[in-house]
Amino acid sequence: MPDTRLLRVAMPVPLRRLFDYLAPPDCTDDALQPGCRVRVPFGKGRTLVGMIVERPTRSDVPQASLKRALAAPDDSPLVPPPHLGFLLRASAYYQHPVGDALFQCLPGNVRRGNDTRPATETLFRLPANAPAPAGNPGRAPRQHLAMQLLAGAPNGLTSRALADNGISHSVLASLLEKGLVEKIGRLRASDTTVSPGIEPVALNPHQQSVASNMTATLGGFVVHALHGVTGSGKTEVYLAVMAAALERGLQALVLVPEIGLTPQFIDRVRRRIGPELAVVHSGLGAKERAQSWMDARDGRVRVVLGTRSAVWTPLANPGVIVVDEEHDLSYKQQDGFRYSARDMAVVRARDHGIPVILGSATPSLETVRNVAAGRYTEQSLPQRAGTAPPPTVTFIDLRGAQLHGAISARLLDALRTNLEQGCQSLLFLNRRGYAPALHCHQCGTVLACPRCDMPYTWHKQARRLVCHHCSSERAAQSQCPACKDSELVQLGHGTERLEETLATLLPAARILRIDRDSTRARGAMGRMMARAHAGDADILVGTQMLAKGHHLPNLTLVGIVDADRGLYSADFRAAERMAQLFVQVSGRAGRGNLPGQVLIQTHHPEHPLLRSLVEQGYGPFARLALKEREDASLPPCSCMAVLRSEHYEQAPAVRFLELARTLLQKAGPQLQVFGPLPSALERRAGRFRMQLIVQASRRSQLAQILPPWLQQLEKEPLGNRVRWSIDVDPQDML
DNA sequence: AGCACGCCGACT
DNA sequence: GTCGGCGTGCTC
């Protein structure tokens, strides 16, 4: 009697469907549970590893075309079924091909290799009757530290855990040789004996009350929008709530933006949490990544800390999720599976029935709206940790003003005064390079990247023309390519030019430029910030790299060189981004005991959004900006998806979207459709990019209409010729 | 995505 | 005569 058991399998291919197979020969039911992998023949002559997502009782596929799977290597689900359900929902929400999404959410090793059985590990510990570690480090501080760490862990520590705490292999080797440490092997197993909180968390009264509000909600689904200005100590609150979860034997998941995962931050968490911390970052090797994933799944680590992809880490005993700097753009993946880690964190918290904390000084309008609607609870940390009063903010009206390069007379005066008083200043200009464009004085031709049709940015120091959209470069030229005239004029100002202008205007000032170009060398950023800290610079010039995280106590003046670019942009989120950046940059002014001032250069001092931001602060700005979105039916007051197409010729890209539009209007006449429109950067790296914008007033409309529409498009022959993708809740309209 | 099939141009 | 270019079609 042939085995007729059926499997429904997700395959790592960009197809919006599942594949049915017959069970492999000689296979127990245990190995066929949803969440187990199967090796199957796929297409012509290929064998791939897929994942079982269902055990159907019947199949719509004709009996004759059903193939038999080859093997099922896992004798229990590799992905716990509830977590599998979460991953499948995420792929459906973003309308991304199931199997592709699913496998992108798993560590690479799980995708291929079979080596996921519980591994044995080598542990290091102090021998049973070892003498107590010596009281002072003497000439071997690392060895001393190792002994102390081991003394605190009677069950032993892995070499990985030791390495994470700065104990290298060679230190262990010498300790082993002296017999001060012994090596044992055992099966990897969970160890719940380590107490949470190595260093206690000290909280001020505000932090204390917010933390206890949130701790009280452990065990139920709540979204806490933690609103705290820069320096108010959000991290301490996170740590306190996490510690409370850990005390109950639960795990915590912490998401940080890409630039937030600094060694300093990790150290800080590790000091409070101890060794049961898994840090997931892009530099991790495949093996380590898979190991952390399984450690979290099986409860061997209590805290998982990472950037956006860490949201897909399975947890044995979830207790709380933290999303730091919730408004940050890096939570949205911009290619492949285009998910938002922040939004998925909220979905996860609801699934698990646990609280999630969305922290920010400048919450996204999505969060502001959810707070206003009562879906999220707001927790505020009003105080700055220091005693400095908030900075004064003043507009400098650039209309008709005399400029020295990009600098107005008033800004120059302020810089000079500040310099004389021995204080530091910061000038913020979100454009690197010397000049954002070059054109010919004779014929007006703008030197542009041939693949993107965007002006080249002139980098004077490097003597190169750089396309900031596709990163292509070419050597400087002195002649106009069109009319062969040799007078090329520099248009606009970048940080490089600003630095040069300042050097001539204020020859006595020591100027430090901090942008992607000046900090390219390894460790350069750290060295520059150290110089700034040591008071070895009077004026810092930089891009948004300067906006975050650095405390410079002697910095009292912040100048925003060009506030206008965020006000009139093709991207409806530009103003929100601008405001978030301003608040962050302004937060740099006047820490310590010195009052700060912020000067904003603009041609539009009357602009209502800019005024509300400056005169009333981020909260009122956000409410006003939200009102504008409401009036224009833009997200978050509506639901948006963008279908993008790309081709080296324009016509097929347009035709595909026209076809898509026709099909969509038949399927869902209640949806609003705009386009096909060229994307704001119409051509990038030699390809034409077009987009079709789909808007609905309710999420459920999108969820209902998009799947059959996309399935139809997938069958369309034209769809095979152009490169296309769907982006649900797009963040970036360019 | 990958892989095969298929039909046209320049090579040992 | 065939090697190989990538357009087209298909994956239970």
Side-chain angles (χ1 to χ4, degrees):
Chain A
M1 168 114 175
D3 188 350
T4 55
R5 289 177 295 175
L6 287 170
L7 316 174
R8 194 149 288 157
V9 182
M11 299 302 296
V13 291
L15 297 170
R16 277 162 234 271
R17 60 197 124 131
L18 296 167
F19 294 85
D20 291 353
Y21 283 90
L22 293 164
D26 308 319
C27 184
T28 64
D29 265 338
D30 284 347
L32 301 180
Q33 298 170 77
C36 292
R37 292 170 299 172
V38 262
R39 191 176 294 280
V40 297
F42 191 75
K44 287 164 192 168
R46 268 210 298 176
T47 76
L48 288 178
V49 175
M51 178 151 294
I52 301 171
V53 299
E54 209 185 317
R55 287 285 308 275
T57 47
R58 58 173 300 277
S59 173
D60 291 333
V61 177
Q63 197 69 33
S65 38
L66 275 179
K67 289 183 184 171
R68 189 165 293 282
L70 303 169
D74 304 315
D75 45 23
S76 66
L78 186 71
V79 179
H83 194 246
L84 179 66
F86 167 59
L87 299 180
L88 295 174
R89 276 180 56 205
S91 79
Y93 180 91
Y94 289 106
Q95 308 292 338
H96 192 83
V98 220
D100 194 52
L102 188 59
F103 280 92
Q104 280 196 51
C105 296
L106 300 175
N109 260 10
V110 169
R111 183 170 180 160
R112 272 161 278 113
N114 289 5
D115 53 343
T116 53
R117 273 156 292 129
T120 57
E121 61 187 352
T122 307
L123 291 164
F124 297 88
R125 69 174 181 200
L126 302 179
N129 50 357
N136 76 63
R139 293 209 306 111
R142 291 282 117 175
Q143 294 191 16
H144 183 256
L145 175 59
M147 299 289 282
Q148 282 203 318
L149 285 166
L150 291 171
N155 292 320
L157 291 170
T158 61
S159 66
R160 190 174 75 115
L162 287 162
D164 285 350
N165 286 284
I167 307 302
S168 71
H169 200 75
S170 69
V171 171
L172 279 176
S174 30
L175 287 173
L176 279 170
E177 189 149 337
K178 290 187 221 166
L180 291 171
V181 164
E182 67 179 8
K183 207 162 132 174
I184 47 169
R186 66 146 200 221
L187 203 66
R188 292 191 63 91
S190 75
D191 179 354
T192 53
T193 58
V194 177
S195 61
I198 287 193
E199 264 180 30
V201 187
L203 300 176
N204 69 31
H206 272 299
Q207 292 171 324
Q208 182 60 58
S209 100
V210 165
S212 53
N213 286 349
M214 298 201 276
T215 303
T217 67
L218 284 171
F221 169 63
V222 183
V223 185
H224 298 287
L226 175 58
H227 185 247
V229 299
T230 319
S232 60
K234 291 190 291 292
T235 310
E236 275 64 37
V237 174
Y238 302 150
L239 289 165
V241 181
M242 286 158 61
L246 264 55
E247 269 164 31
R248 300 177 194 199
L250 303 171
Q251 293 168 294
L253 172 64
V254 185
L255 306 181
V256 295
E258 257 147 27
I259 44 92
L261 197 56
T262 59
Q264 298 92 300
F265 183 77
I266 296 169
D267 276 356
R268 204 161 153 203
V269 177
R270 197 182 298 286
R271 279 202 307 277
R272 300 283 166 76
I273 299 301
E276 282 188 283
L277 169 70
V279 179
V280 210
H281 59 268
S282 56
L284 228 50
K287 251 183 115 173
E288 300 166 294
R289 190 173 286 274
Q291 196 58 61
S292 307
W293 187 89
M294 285 188 290
D295 285 347
R297 181 194 63 180
D298 301 339
R300 283 184 295 266
V301 296
R302 310 276 286 277
V303 176
V304 175
L305 168 64
T307 52
R308 86 178 155 251
S309 64
V311 79
W312 307 123
T313 314
L315 298 171
N317 308 297
V320 63
I321 305 179
V322 174
V323 183
D324 188 30
E325 304 296 344
E326 155 276 314
H327 64 279
D328 196 278
L329 257 172
S330 72
Y331 285 122
K332 180 80 202 268
Q333 175 133 41
Q334 299 285 16
D335 52 71
F337 181 23
R338 306 173 112 95
Y339 63 91
S340 157
R342 180 242 287 150
D343 296 347
M344 290 301 101
V346 173
V347 170
R348 253 195 111 159
R350 186 187 292 122
D351 280 4
H352 293 314
I354 61 171
V356 54
I357 305 173
L358 305 182
S360 177
T362 51
S364 63
L365 294 193
E366 281 74 6
T367 295
V368 171
R369 184 163 189 264
N370 281 319
V371 168
R375 285 186 288 268
Y376 294 2
T377 69
E378 188 167 42
Q379 309 284 345
S380 293
L381 285 174
Q383 281 182 345
R384 276 183 139 196
T387 50
T392 60
V393 185
T394 316
F395 285 121
I396 297 176
D397 189 347
L398 288 185
R399 287 172 298 189
Q402 187 121 39
L403 292 174
H404 310 273
I407 311 263
S408 64
R410 274 187 67 191
L411 181 55
L412 179 60
D413 273 350
L415 287 167
R416 191 175 284 134
T417 310
N418 215 40
L419 181 63
E420 281 159 8
Q421 290 172 349
C423 293
Q424 278 178 326
S425 308
L426 184 160
L427 287 187
F428 175 77
L429 177 60
N430 212 6
R431 274 184 167 184
R432 62 198 173 87
Y434 189 86
L438 288 180
H439 74 179
C440 172
H441 185 57
Q442 283 306 314
C443 70
T445 300
V446 175
L447 268 60
C449 168
R451 305 165 72 212
C452 302
D453 290 338
M454 290 295 292
Y456 276 121
T457 299
W458 169 230
H459 287 240
K460 192 179 180 187
Q461 249 172 13
R463 299 201 51 74
R464 295 191 74 75
L465 295 162
V466 182
C467 173
H468 283 193
H469 298 106
C470 72
S471 302
S472 67
E473 292 186 21
R474 52 179 294 182
Q477 54 189 98
S478 54
Q479 273 195 344
C480 169
C483 71
K484 309 295 178 207
D485 189 82
S486 55
E487 199 178 339
L488 293 175
V489 182
Q490 297 156 358
L491 293 179
H493 298 262
T495 47
E496 216 184 282
R497 190 172 191 180
L498 184 59
E499 180 188 21
E500 190 186 275
T501 312
L502 283 169
T504 57
L505 293 173
L506 299 167
R510 293 161 300 170
I511 301 163
L512 199 57
R513 172 166 61 92
I514 298 183
D515 57 27
R516 189 136 52 91
D517 302 308
S518 72
T519 56
R520 198 158 305 222
R522 219 179 125 79
M525 174 75 177
R527 282 196 298 278
M528 287 193 171
M529 288 319 298
R531 269 186 66 190
H533 235 276
D536 211 10
D538 302 308
I539 303 179
L540 305 177
V541 172
T543 57
Q544 58 186 327
M545 280 184 84
L546 267 184
K548 298 202 180 173
H550 301 94
H551 301 220
L552 294 169
N554 203 29
L555 181 74
T556 54
L557 172 65
V558 167
I560 290 166
V561 177
D562 178 9
D564 296 341
R565 286 206 304 148
L567 298 176
Y568 301 96
S569 165
D571 188 338
F572 66 86
R573 273 184 245 263
E576 179 185 353
R577 300 264 158 66
M578 171 201 72
Q580 290 162 346
L581 215 45
F582 280 15
V583 172
Q584 252 168 26
V585 177
S586 306
R588 308 289 111 222
R591 314 196 67 151
N593 304 316
L594 302 161
Q597 71 172 310
V598 179
L599 296 175
I600 300 177
Q601 296 196 137
T602 175
H603 288 91
H604 307 279
E606 306 304 321
H607 194 287
L609 284 177
L610 203 51
R611 284 192 58 171
S612 79
L613 177 63
V614 165
E615 288 163 15
Q616 301 168 65
Y618 186 82
F621 159 84
R623 283 191 285 280
L624 187 60
L626 202 52
K627 179 75 176 50
E628 286 191 359
R629 300 270 184 95
E630 180 89 61
D631 294 343
S633 298
L634 286 167
C637 307
S638 68
C639 304
M640 184 182 274
V642 177
L643 182 72
R644 299 200 173 86
S645 71
E646 226 181 89
H647 196 78
Y648 54 83
E649 292 170 294
Q650 191 164 31
V654 175
R655 265 190 291 132
F656 176 70
L657 293 189
E658 279 167 351
L659 174 74
R661 186 189 172 121
T662 313
L663 292 173
L664 184 59
Q665 282 171 332
K666 253 182 263 168
Q670 69 274 49
L671 297 183
Q672 286 198 71
V673 190
F674 306 95
L677 308 157
S679 94
L681 306 171
E682 185 175 354
R683 223 142 69 86
R684 183 186 161 111
R687 306 179 77 89
F688 288 91
R689 303 158 77 225
M690 304 295 295
Q691 51 191 28
L692 193 73
I693 295 169
V694 182
Q695 261 180 239
S697 48
R698 306 188 60 80
R699 184 111 253 149
S700 55
Q701 296 176 326
L702 285 187
Q704 215 166 48
I705 294 162
L706 296 191
W709 177 55
L710 293 167
Q711 295 237 333
Q712 237 177 330
L713 287 179
E714 205 169 272
K715 286 192 217 116
E716 209 46 62
L718 188 52
N720 285 332
R721 295 211 283 123
V722 304
R723 190 185 294 179
W724 63 274
S725 65
I726 183 89
D727 191 350
V728 174
D729 301 339
Q731 280 297 307
D732 190 345
M733 298 307 295
L734 306 179

